Amino acid sequence: MSQPNAIHYELTCPVFFIGFMGAGKTSVSQQLAVTYGLASIDADEYLELRENRIIADIFAEDGEDYFRDLETDVLKDLAARSPRLIGCGGGVVTKRPENARIMKESGFVIYLMVTADGASKRIPNTDSRPMFKNLETARRTIVERAPQYEAAADVAIQTEGRSVPDIAQEVAAILLEQGVMVKKEED
Ligand code: S3P
């Protein structure tokens, strides 16, 4: 009796997740990585490893500009590597216009939309996020950033009140439809 062919999935280009802190960029990319056997990485974690410092300390010791330079450098580095799911920091499209260009030219960009109230429920400890000062500021920042997220994205997905597996399923359907994720059968 013949065995069914093994199926696996591949990305044809990097997939960048953008959106405000707490939108689910890391969780959704991890969920997709586990479900479809894809590589995933959190750009901020990678930056912290490379710098050997946490982001809160980089902000406190060297300021936001220094952090934004590192962020662009990390983005270029990841864009040039083999395709993977990349969870970006919430401010990636705000201060360095070249970041949106790097992502658009090298990959597919997914904007996960969230409100400040929704985000605050998902962030267990806002102390680790220097840009999430309080709910009022977060509300204003999201409104300010929304046009920048929209302009940088290939697609936007509403995440409010939805579970991570549910959002991941919608993302997977889009990636398959766009040919960014492809199904391969091994014989
Ligand atoms: C930031 C978001 C953070 C991190 C840094 C700045 C921002 O990433 O890059 O604290 O400006 O919104 P997450 O969105 O992963 O929390």
Side-chain angles (χ1 to χ4, degrees), residues 8-81:
H8 77 276
Y9 292 86
E10 284 176 12
L11 294 176
T12 58
C13 64
V15 176
F16 299 95
F17 289 90
I18 63 167
F20 199 64
M21 290 166 272
K25 294 161 291 181
T26 307
S27 321
V28 171
S29 84
Q30 279 171 355
Q31 174 79 49
L32 285 163
V34 170
T35 310
Y36 295 94
L38 301 168
S40 80
I41 189 162
D42 182 78
D44 280 344
E45 264 182 45
Y46 182 52
L47 184 152
E48 287 179 334
L49 266 175
R50 266 184 34 167
E51 271 290 288
N52 200 23
R53 274 190 296 172
I54 60 166
I55 288 173
D57 287 350
I58 300 174
F59 266 76
E61 290 161 15
D62 292 308
E64 184 181 353
D65 266 358
Y66 182 81
F67 168 77
R68 295 297 172 199
D69 289 343
L70 294 174
E71 189 173 46
T72 298
D73 203 45
V74 162
L75 207 57
K76 284 184 187 156
D77 178 349
L78 294 175
R81 288 177 185 269

Side-chain angles (χ1 to χ4, degrees), residues 43 76 116 126 128 132 175:
K76 284 184 187 156
T126 53
S128 65
F132 201 115
L175 295 180

Side-chain angles (χ1 to χ4, degrees), residues 108-166:
F108 191 76
V109 187
I110 298 181
Y111 168 29
L112 298 182
M113 294 189 278
V114 70
T115 62
D117 299 68
S120 71
K121 288 188 198 122
R122 293 189 192 146
I123 299 177
N125 170 20
T126 53
D127 289 349
S128 65
R129 261 101 161 179
M131 298 303 281
F132 201 115
K133 295 195 176 79
N134 57 57
L135 206 48
E136 267 317 301
T137 318
R139 283 189 187 124
R140 265 203 316 274
T141 312
I142 289 189
V143 172
E144 270 166 35
R145 287 181 175 181
Q148 296 168 311
Y149 290 135
E150 277 159 24
D154 291 299
V155 290
I157 293 176
Q158 190 52 258
T159 69
E160 208 72 17
R162 298 177 66 186
S163 70
V164 169
D166 181 34

